[in-house]
Amino acid sequence: MDDINTNANEITNENVNFETRINLGPLLDHVNTIKKEIETVIVGQHKMVDQLLVAILSNGHVLLEGVPGVAKTITAKLLSKTLNIGFSRIQFTPDLMPSDILGTSIYNLKSSEFEFKKGPIFSNLILIDEINRAPAKTQAALFEVMEERQITIDGSEYQLDAPFLVIATQNPIEQEGTYRLPEAQLDRFLFKISIDYPKLNEEILIIQREHTLQNHDKLEAIKTILSSEEIRQYQGLVKQIRVEQNLLEYIARIVVNTRENAFLYLGASPRASIAILNAAKGFAAIRGRDFVTPEDIKEAATPVLQHRVIVTPEREMEGITSSEIIKQIIETVEIPR
């Protein structure tokens, strides 16, 4: 009997050691500290902050969508203040050219040679304001850099320093003077985060904080938490998080269902499957686990898929959104046991 108990204890101890084989303590400390810094300015929006942190850990780009005044831009600036990395802001306008983003070759009279002058995209965290206000030619300039983290100009390749993350904002209501983002570009965003209006109690707190601040700068007291080296280290840790085979199949079934759904004209690509996998690992990490659960996958699925699918015109006219269809698909796919 004692031998049986001893063996059971050994198995239990082995399981515990296996479950905590990745040291996520420092990562969690930094994540919680960043949240506290952001919460000194941003009221509520906890889900959005979690998704932004997951995007950083998963090395993915983010599209923030919301009406003007819901703190899209200031959230991105706050996040950049907590990270000791390069920050660049680009305001997209209808007359913006690709060279305004990527850079251009300038003739040097002294050397009698062309020299490449780098554009604002050569940084670590890029905030693109009103991304849907630039025409297709300018949008296409982002395809290579968002996917491959490199730029090809005049036959020369320029690698961007890691980490490289794009946070773009757009207004879903005002469509005059805007251009629909190409599907190929939307597919390069890890998340599309929809930001809603604050609740009544949150609105009151926003007003109170603004009244208390008076002439003080909101971002002045924000502390720097993470360095570029630490970000790269944590991104490496997140990749090591365990995912069981049945959960990989669960992700595949969700994505395949988007291609077979009668309400969707266009389903998600294999890139979406990989995005759900990486995002689920990120959610597990910020929850302090080194293994993915079905709940992590469900939490990742909607922000990963809602901008990668197209609702059929008939359902769109009925007011059905892609996020509603994605949620229905998640509910119908059997959860692994």
Side-chain angles (χ1 to χ4, degrees):
M1 190 69 180
D2 291 339
D3 291 339
I4 294 174
N5 290 334
T6 302
N7 291 335
N9 288 333
E10 288 175 357
I11 293 170
T12 303
N13 289 334
E14 286 176 3
N15 291 340
V16 170
N17 291 334
F18 185 66
E19 290 175 359
T20 58
R21 75 194 195 287
I22 301 176
N23 182 15
L24 295 173
L27 184 151
L28 281 176
D29 291 340
H30 281 128
V31 163
N32 291 329
T33 306
I34 290 173
K35 284 183 182 180
K36 289 176 183 177
E37 289 296 312
I38 293 175
E39 286 170 2
T40 60
V41 178
I42 301 297
V43 177
Q45 305 293 1
H46 303 296
K47 188 175 181 180
M48 174 191 67
V49 173
D50 281 351
Q51 289 171 339
L52 284 171
L53 292 171
V54 167
I56 292 172
L57 295 173
S58 306
N59 197 25
H61 311 298
V62 175
L63 178 62
L64 293 176
E65 185 176 83
V67 297
V70 290
K72 300 187 298 295
T73 302
I74 196 170
T75 301
K77 291 174 69 176
L78 271 170
L79 191 60
S80 72
K81 290 275 288 183
T82 63
L83 308 176
N84 188 22
I85 58 177
F87 174 72
S88 184
R89 178 176 177 178
I90 309 172
Q91 185 70 50
F92 268 31
T93 55
D95 61 346
L96 196 72
M97 298 296 290
S99 58
D100 297 327
I101 303 168
L102 306 180
T104 187
S105 295
I106 299 175
Y107 187 72
N108 189 323
L109 292 173
K110 291 183 179 180
S111 62
S112 299
E113 293 179 351
F114 282 95
E115 294 180 356
F116 179 65
K117 184 179 180 182
K118 294 180 178 180
I121 202 72
F122 282 87
S123 192
N124 299 114
L125 180 60
I126 314 297
L127 169 60
I128 299 179
D129 241 345
E130 301 287 347
I131 189 171
N132 56 340
R133 291 201 174 276
K137 185 177 182 180
T138 305
Q139 300 293 350
L142 296 172
F143 285 14
E144 181 184 12
V145 68
M146 288 181 67
E147 180 64 20
E148 301 173 44
R149 268 75 173 181
Q150 71 173 29
I151 293 170
T152 305
I153 296 179
D154 297 333
S156 299
E157 290 184 358
Y158 300 89
Q159 300 292 330
L160 278 79
D161 295 332
F164 176 77
L165 304 164
V166 172
I167 299 179
T169 70
Q170 72 174 13
N171 176 1
I173 305 299
E174 187 180 6
Q175 298 303 320
E176 186 176 350
T178 65
Y179 301 83
R180 180 180 172 86
L181 297 185
E183 299 304 326
Q185 184 179 7
L186 286 171
D187 204 32
R188 283 163 166 76
F189 285 102
L190 175 70
F191 287 153
K192 176 185 172 184
I193 303 175
S194 300
I195 306 175
D196 296 324
Y197 284 119
K199 298 174 183 177
L200 176 60
N201 60 326
E202 294 172 341
E203 188 93 18
I204 293 170
L205 187 54
I206 290 169
I207 298 169
Q208 287 175 341
R209 284 189 181 180
E210 188 65 29
H211 175 64
T212 305
L213 278 171
Q214 295 182 8
N215 291 328
H216 297 289
D217 184 5
K218 295 177 183 179
L219 308 181
E220 189 177 6
I222 300 299
K223 299 175 184 175
T224 301
I225 310 299
L226 274 180
S227 66
S228 60
E229 179 58 38
E230 287 170 323
I231 292 172
R232 290 194 295 268
Q233 179 187 342
Y234 292 152
Q235 287 174 344
L237 277 180
V238 169
K239 288 180 181 179
Q240 299 174 33
I241 286 179
R242 284 188 297 121
V243 188
E244 299 295 338
Q245 179 62 31
N246 59 349
L247 293 181
L248 296 176
E249 294 170 3
Y250 180 49
I251 293 171
R253 284 198 296 270
I254 291 174
V255 173
V256 168
N257 263 266
T258 66
R259 303 169 195 163
E260 300 172 349
N261 192 286
F263 289 3
L264 295 176
Y265 172 73
L266 176 71
S269 68
R271 185 185 280 156
S273 302
I274 297 169
I276 293 175
L277 171 66
N278 293 334
K281 290 180 180 180
F283 279 114
I286 68 170
R287 304 288 185 256
R289 286 181 278 102
D290 70 343
F291 58 93
V292 169
T293 66
E295 284 68 33
D296 297 322
I297 295 170
K298 291 166 72 174
E299 192 170 4
T302 299
V304 165
L305 294 174
Q306 63 181 347
H307 60 291
R308 301 173 191 265
V309 299
I310 298 178
V311 182
T312 58
E314 298 82 10
R315 300 307 173 191
E316 195 170 14
M317 289 177 65
E318 294 174 6
I320 298 176
T321 64
S322 59
S323 59
E324 291 172 341
I325 297 171
I326 298 302
K327 289 173 184 176
Q328 290 174 1
I329 290 173
I330 294 170
E331 289 172 1
T332 56
V333 176
E334 185 180 357
I335 299 173
R337 301 297 179 188

